[in-house]
Amino acid sequence: MTELQDQRGRGGPASAARGIGTAPVGAAPIEVRTSIYKMMVEMRDFEKRAYDLFLQGLVKGTSHLGLGQEAVAAGFAAAMRPSDYTFATYRGHNHTLARGAPMAAVMAELMGRQAGLMAGKGGSMHLTSVAHRMMGSYAIVGAHLTIANGAAWSAKLRGTGEVAVCFFGDGTTNIGAFHEALNLAAIWKLPVVFVCENNRWMEYTPISSVTAVAHPAADRARSYGLDPVLVDGNDADATYAAASVALERARAGAGPTLVEAETYRHGGHSRADPGKYRPEAEVQAWLARDPIPLYRARLAESGVDESVLRRIEEAAQSAVDAASAEAAASPPPDFSLVEADVWADGGSSWRR
Amino acid sequence: MAEMTYRDAVARGIAQEMERDPSVVLVGEDVGSAGGVFKATVGVFDRFGPDRVVDTPISEQAILGAAMGAAMTGLRPIAEIMFSDFFAVCWDIVANEIAKTRYMTNGQVSLPLVIRSANGGGARFGAQHSQSVENWAMAIPGLKVVAPSTPRDVVGLLAAAVRDPDPVLFFEQKSLYPAKGDVPEGEIVDELGTAVVRRHGKDATVVALAAMVPRALEAADRLAGEGVEVTVIDLRSLVPLDVTTVATSVTETGHLVTVEENPRLCGWGAEVASIVAEERLFDLDGPIVRVTTPHVPLPAADALEDAAMPTVARIVEGVRRSLQ
């Protein structure tokens, strides 16, 4: 462990994070931190509403919530430039919102409506908004690490200074594409940041029981000539700081970074999973470390007025209300979309 | 007009497009200074340098993921999968990611990329280095599928594939690499989805692809000696599929024979046969006959491999059966 570049609070995530009120090293200006809080609150409210709409039968299919993991998406998004690329997984609602995709369009996509981000053609697991450099949510574990490499390779060849940031879960670290992607990124020195959100559970199985090392991502970094980076994924200041270092390194031409952010999902793996297999004490311990109240308290201690925080919270509720209403008012997608956009000509014809 | 091998035509086609468009890059195992394991990319590295001609580790998913990510952000990659059999280790990137992304994103993402691969039998490499997998690709919505039979078409169809805004799988038949043919000077750009009538005859229509085209032409020569005049259509592209050329010919001849290197079940000829049966049934004067490799993996021994793949004799016999 001494080799680990440990960016967690003293004692790691099991104990309370950094002392409240002490601005951590590398912390963002207060307006950035306030915007991080706003993002997290919006994500939380959005996903809770999405879950309610499931129960009402308005959101169909499956969905994977990132409740409890907001500090990773928000901290990184705040540190990224608008031109940087995001690649996310099927647990990608938060990452999509964090890049600025309109809440109503994301909700409409979950509801399978015409106003959806992809007019209902992708669904919850494939949220994409190229206009916001949200280059896709990928539902086959591991694939998008290799694709993020491609965007980084392209950025490097074109000399744009753009960085690709790729988020994935702990389960991904045991699939071949993870290792192929890390090796290629390292040998090509690509401007890419890989962010493992270690929420401790690979679907229904503890990641520790199916992984040969204690830290599924960080302990693999040395294999690819990279320094291990472990960060408290429930501390938005810490994720912001880790992101800033990794992005700067990528832009400087020093190559990829593999970050392991330790966090926890408050719910089950997917809509169908109540998550009852997890020890109650573990769940309670992590709920006590919920990133959002933690960050709220820290901002208050840093001098952000209570009224400002409350306005953020009220605005988020209003935004979710408005987005949900707008999504619900949208009609289902036009049937012509079934055969649209297989090809660049807009159609799906395979014969001539 | 210069005579050139199919192998050299690959390098010429790549160079033609890299010269024209600086966003075209070449990526794959041994494609750089080694010039490719089939020597199909010789000279490309020397001409365009290590930034645009990039060697990779043996990591097929990483190769195709890199091509995909680059294509969605402004490059036009040509990726090589050394043997088409290796698509089995990276089929996720091809079938789940590359093929579906434009559709799933409601047209937000374009993937102008080409995946070249050495396909097919005849080299005595055994069952894991000899498969004809073009029908795998044909079964996935969102992929264009091309397989040239001549050096000229290698250049022209590769150019069309590179310039196409959609992902194209470009199958080079490895037993054709040493084959020679005339290639005109200057830029050659073909059109995807256009079949070519290689020989015209009024008695039967034989549709073939890649290495099966020269065999079909030889069978046509033999049948001509018996007074049977056969049309041989080189399909060149499975997606888009030039139904018009095939159907027009079947209306004229009344007989259809497909010659497929792939194993029998769900080979591309089954799709061609079903279209003709559905749309030109009353123009047919005999059964549609499919000549294919039997539904077996390809054996390694030369005698066995030759016996497995469609031979000129089996094509001749297939035409006779259709005419009975």
Side-chain angles (χ1 to χ4, degrees):
Chain A
M1 269 304 283
T2 50
E3 285 200 7
L4 280 173
Q5 183 186 327
D6 197 334
Q7 300 183 359
R8 297 172 298 180
R10 212 166 277 131
S15 67
R18 257 176 274 268
I20 286 167
T22 55
V25 180
I30 196 68
E31 57 277 11
V32 172
R33 297 173 74 205
T34 313
S35 79
I36 288 174
Y37 182 67
K38 176 173 180 285
M39 275 194 259
M40 291 200 294
V41 171
E42 286 175 352
M43 291 169 190
R44 176 67 57 92
D45 290 350
F46 176 90
E47 286 207 310
K48 284 169 101 172
R49 179 65 56 85
Y51 188 75
D52 292 345
L53 294 175
F54 271 137
L55 299 179
Q56 294 173 34
L58 285 169
V59 170
K60 316 260 170 52
T62 189
S63 150
H64 305 74
L65 302 179
L67 294 171
Q69 303 182 199
E70 295 90 346
V72 182
F76 272 82
M80 290 165 72
R81 291 183 187 167
S83 57
D84 291 336
Y85 300 107
T86 290
F87 290 82
T89 69
Y90 50 85
R91 201 180 302 286
H93 303 164
N94 292 343
H95 296 292
T96 306
L97 294 172
R99 294 309 306 278
M103 203 182 265
V106 178
M107 192 64 91
E109 187 66 27
L110 269 54
M111 293 170 68
R113 303 300 173 98
Q114 179 78 42
L117 200 56
M118 299 94 77
K121 293 183 78 173
S124 162
M125 294 203 282
H126 299 291
L127 297 175
T128 304
S129 184
V130 171
H132 298 93
R133 296 281 171 133
M134 170 45 179
M135 304 307 286
S137 307
Y138 296 81
I140 309 291
V141 167
H144 70 307
L145 280 79
T146 72
I147 301 163
N149 273 347
W153 174 40
S154 158
K156 186 176 178 179
L157 273 184
R158 292 179 291 117
T160 61
E162 299 153 352
V163 179
V165 181
C166 180
F167 302 90
F168 53 92
D170 43 272
T172 302
T173 64
N174 291 323
I175 203 165
F178 169 87
H179 298 275
E180 289 193 19
L182 261 293
N183 184 59
L184 197 79
I187 58 172
W188 287 4
K189 282 201 157 192
L190 295 178
V192 59
V193 181
F194 297 110
V195 186
C196 174
E197 299 181 47
N198 179 3
N199 66 22
R200 297 180 164 240
W201 290 83
M202 180 217 84
E203 303 204 5
Y204 298 60
T205 303
I207 191 66
S208 59
S209 73
V210 293
T211 307
V213 292
H215 298 286
D219 287 347
R220 264 76 173 259
R222 291 266 181 240
S223 308
Y224 304 105
L226 303 175
D227 291 331
V229 178
L230 204 54
V231 64
D232 181 350
N234 279 21
D235 179 342
D237 284 327
T239 58
Y240 176 88
S244 302
V245 171
L247 290 163
E248 191 179 329
R249 174 181 151 84
R251 269 189 254 282
T257 300
L258 172 59
V259 176
E260 178 172 333
E262 296 189 295
T263 184
Y264 203 71
R265 62 169 146 80
H266 288 176
H269 167 71
S270 67
R271 177 196 177 194
D273 170 26
K276 292 296 183 199
Y277 41 82
R278 302 182 301 183
E280 187 55 25
E282 177 184 297
V283 175
Q284 290 307 321
W286 279 93
L287 285 175
R289 300 193 54 253
D290 186 327
I292 294 178
L294 180 98
Y295 206 62
R296 188 186 203 283
R298 192 169 313 143
L299 289 185
E301 288 294 323
S302 299
V304 178
D305 197 79
E306 173 68 20
S307 64
V308 172
L309 296 171
R310 205 169 290 163
R311 264 204 305 279
I312 287 173
E313 290 149 11
E314 287 163 4
Q317 273 299 334
S318 304
V320 171
D321 287 344
S324 304
E326 187 180 334
S330 169
D334 193 274
F335 290 158
S336 66
L337 291 185
V338 170
E339 297 196 59
D341 285 322
V342 170
W343 309 122
D345 67 9
S348 63
S349 175
W350 48 268
R351 59 182 282 175
R352 47 195 295 169
Chain B
M1 192 80 83
E3 192 174 63
M4 175 179 277
T5 62
Y6 187 97
R7 169 193 332 276
D8 291 342
V10 174
R12 174 168 155 188
I14 294 169
Q16 173 185 301
E17 293 308 297
M18 291 188 73
E19 185 64 49
R20 178 187 62 85
D21 181 351
S23 71
V24 179
V25 292
L26 177 65
V27 59
E29 295 158 13
D30 296 326
V31 297
S33 52
V37 293
F38 294 105
K39 300 296 167 202
T41 58
V42 168
V44 178
F45 178 83
D46 290 340
R47 191 157 158 200
F48 298 99
D51 282 347
R52 294 179 64 197
V53 183
V54 191
D55 282 323
T56 69
I58 299 176
S59 300
E60 279 81 10
Q61 294 183 84
I63 294 168
L64 296 189
M68 177 176 170
M72 64 184 6
T73 55
L75 299 186
R76 299 183 92 91
I78 304 172
E80 178 178 311
I81 295 299
M82 190 185 287
F83 285 79
S84 63
D85 313 72
F86 306 166
F87 274 119
V89 301
C90 53
W91 202 235
D92 171 48
I93 310 291
V94 178
N96 286 323
E97 314 298 348
I98 288 172
K100 294 176 172 57
T101 293
R102 177 187 293 281
Y103 187 85
M104 291 197 301
T105 64
N106 198 30
Q108 289 183 60
V109 174
S110 281
L111 295 172
L113 62 87
V114 178
I115 308 172
R116 300 173 37 242
S117 193
N119 189 49
R124 304 16 176 144
F125 286 166
Q128 295 179 347
H129 289 72
S130 304
Q131 293 173 84
S132 286
V133 306
E134 58 272 16
N135 58 327
W136 300 4
M138 190 186 189
I140 310 290
L143 302 175
K144 293 181 178 174
V145 185
V146 175
S149 74
T150 69
R152 188 219 159 272
D153 280 4
V154 166
V155 180
L157 291 172
L158 188 59
V162 169
R163 298 178 195 197
D164 198 274
D166 294 310
V168 180
L169 268 58
F170 190 86
F171 290 104
E172 297 161 12
Q173 218 290 349
K174 66 175 83 71
S175 74
L176 290 177
Y177 278 130
K180 288 184 176 171
D182 287 334
V183 181
E185 307 293 336
E187 186 181 80
I188 307 173
V189 188
D190 231 311
E191 190 182 349
L192 302 186
T194 54
V196 170
V197 176
R198 297 288 180 199
R199 177 187 179 118
H200 185 260
K202 61 182 182 359
D203 296 326
T205 301
V206 175
V207 182
L209 187 75
M212 297 299 102
V213 174
R215 292 187 192 198
L217 288 168
E218 205 180 323
D221 277 342
R222 216 179 275 184
L223 285 160
E226 304 173 8
V228 175
E229 291 301 330
V230 167
T231 289
V232 176
I233 295 175
D234 180 351
L235 216 43
R236 307 203 306 165
S237 155
L238 297 179
V239 183
L241 185 67
D242 185 351
V243 172
T244 304
T245 297
V246 174
T248 303
S249 175
V250 169
T251 294
E252 184 192 355
T253 65
H255 297 273
L256 173 65
V257 176
T258 65
V259 187
E260 305 159 56
E261 192 180 328
N262 49 238
R264 174 89 189 185
L265 299 188
C266 300
W268 58 261
E271 189 58 52
V272 171
S274 87
I275 293 167
V276 168
E278 195 169 329
E279 300 176 15
R280 299 292 166 117
L281 182 67
F282 300 108
D283 295 338
L284 287 170
D285 299 320
I288 298 171
V289 173
R290 292 180 58 210
V291 181
T292 74
T293 297
H295 208 62
V296 298
L298 268 190
D302 48 0
L304 294 177
E305 189 182 44
D306 287 344
M309 292 168 65
T311 58
V312 172
R314 279 176 59 208
I315 300 167
V316 167
E317 193 272 331
V319 173
R320 285 189 193 133
R321 241 186 321 136
S322 176
L323 290 172
Q324 269 171 11

